[in-house]
Amino acid sequence: WDFVNTLLLHNHKEVHDENGNDIDGEFVDTGDILEYVIELGQQSDRNRTITVFDQVPPEVDYVSSNNPVAVIKTQDELDDYNSKAEADGYAQVPAGFHLDTPIVVYQYTGVSATSNTFSFYVKVKETAETKHIINQAYEYIDVAAPGAAEKLLRIPSNKVENVVRFSPLKAV
């Protein structure tokens, strides 16, 4: 019996301005506050633990989230998170994520048919002029048969991108 065949997943990422407008592909300015919104959905044969990892782009600073998230910035925080995640049945931070910028982690247990949305805010750095800000989240879900060893399925979100506008007045 292949449990992956009984699982339908959906995730979608957007980037919003302070007024809630979708601004994917648009110009932004240094100092702007951006909201990254990730919509998640699943239809499954059973409850599953789902973990979303999102590496904060280097052109922005993490500000806050209205959702219960873990924000990992140090090796101690990474070690603590991984220990707790293993004990609670959630995915640990996968290889490929690094501590150069914060890692935002969102966890939830998806029941047989569920949807969920979470978001977090970032501020465009003053040093980000003319740079592209690209962001993508990764959803991890255990697809192993009940009682079997963990088998994580990785589902990337779509990428969102903004370009930081050059301000000639600052260059003077």
Side-chain angles (χ1 to χ4, degrees):
W1 181 256
D2 185 356
F3 281 85
V4 176
N5 289 336
T6 60
L7 175 65
L8 298 171
L9 295 168
H10 160 78
N11 69 44
H12 178 74
K13 183 161 199 158
E14 295 180 353
V15 58
H16 294 173
D17 64 15
E18 290 180 281
N19 297 317
N21 300 310
D22 186 350
I23 57 168
D24 187 20
E26 295 185 21
F27 285 99
V28 296
D29 295 306
T30 59
D32 282 357
I33 301 293
L34 310 178
E35 179 185 22
Y36 289 121
V37 179
I38 299 100
E39 298 170 0
L40 307 160
Q42 74 133 1
Q43 213 169 347
S44 177
D45 58 326
R46 61 188 166 97
N47 294 352
R48 295 178 187 269
T49 57
I50 299 165
T51 309
V52 179
F53 297 97
D54 200 325
Q55 185 86 56
V56 174
E59 300 83 11
V60 298
D61 287 318
Y62 175 83
V63 175
S64 66
S65 176
N66 294 331
N67 304 98
V69 298
V71 181
I72 301 169
K73 299 177 184 176
T74 68
Q75 188 63 49
D76 286 343
E77 291 171 342
L78 177 65
D79 294 341
D80 290 346
Y81 170 82
N82 281 340
S83 294
K84 184 167 177 18
E86 183 178 23
D88 293 345
Y90 287 94
Q92 296 181 30
V93 177
F97 285 86
H98 53 81
L99 295 173
D100 295 343
T101 63
I103 304 165
V104 178
V105 184
Y106 179 69
Q107 303 170 328
Y108 76 102
T109 299
V111 293
S112 58
T114 188
S115 63
N116 207 320
T117 300
F118 86 99
S119 66
F120 64 95
Y121 299 90
V122 298
K123 182 177 181 179
V124 180
K125 291 179 180 180
E126 294 298 321
T127 57
E129 280 189 353
T130 72
K131 298 199 174 164
H132 288 254
I133 305 172
I134 299 171
N135 187 250
Q136 183 174 30
Y138 294 90
E139 182 177 5
Y140 287 80
I141 186 165
D142 186 3
V143 295
E150 180 181 74
K151 179 181 176 185
L152 291 177
L153 178 64
R154 176 182 183 226
I155 302 107
S157 74
N158 55 298
K159 289 181 182 179
V160 293
E161 181 176 4
N162 297 97
V163 177
V164 183
R165 197 179 340 254
F166 174 69
S167 176
L169 296 178
K170 289 183 184 177
V172 174

